[in-house]
Amino acid sequence: METEPLLGFAHVAAAEAATRVFWYRWYVLLVYCLLVTQQGAVWSHWGPISDSVQAAYNWSNATISLLSFWGPITYVACFYPWTLFMRRRSLRSACVVSAAFVALG
């Protein structure tokens, strides 16, 4: 007795045999990982310098917290349009445009 695949995805096994990995996909993945790492470093630097910023600029804790939260706020605001952009273009163009926005910022 032959068992059927879970949820009836018999066509997936045939499609996986024709899959080919290109070297530039690894390059795009590397660039994306470096971009995400850099963004994580940018958004996590407000906590360690909060005492110095409060003394130098007379900012409150709420102002410093808001600066730390701009990353998640812009993510929520831009998630759907960016998903459409990646769907219509490619992952490579999305990474390049993201890197340009990071450099501009």
Side-chain angles (χ1 to χ4, degrees):
M1 182 167 117
E2 187 175 322
T3 60
E4 290 186 26
L6 184 64
L7 300 175
F9 291 124
H11 65 281
V12 174
E16 287 179 352
T19 303
R20 190 170 161 208
V21 178
F22 296 97
W23 68 270
Y24 51 84
R25 290 184 184 223
W26 293 105
Y27 172 72
V28 170
L29 182 64
L30 175 70
V31 170
Y32 175 77
C33 289
L34 292 175
L35 183 66
V36 168
T37 302
Q38 191 266 341
Q39 278 298 100
V42 165
W43 290 113
S44 68
H45 81 281
W46 289 107
I49 66 167
S50 63
D51 292 334
S52 302
V53 169
Q54 286 176 346
Y57 297 112
N58 201 18
W59 287 355
S60 67
N61 283 332
T63 304
I64 296 170
S65 296
L66 179 64
L67 290 172
S68 295
F69 286 130
W70 273 117
I73 290 169
T74 55
Y75 174 79
V76 169
C78 296
F79 170 73
Y80 186 70
W82 200 251
T83 303
L84 291 177
F85 177 79
M86 283 192 341
R87 209 178 159 128
R88 290 191 177 129
R89 301 290 178 169
S90 65
L91 180 61
R92 180 187 177 277
S93 62
C95 282
V96 169
V97 173
S98 295
F101 282 151
V102 169
L104 183 67

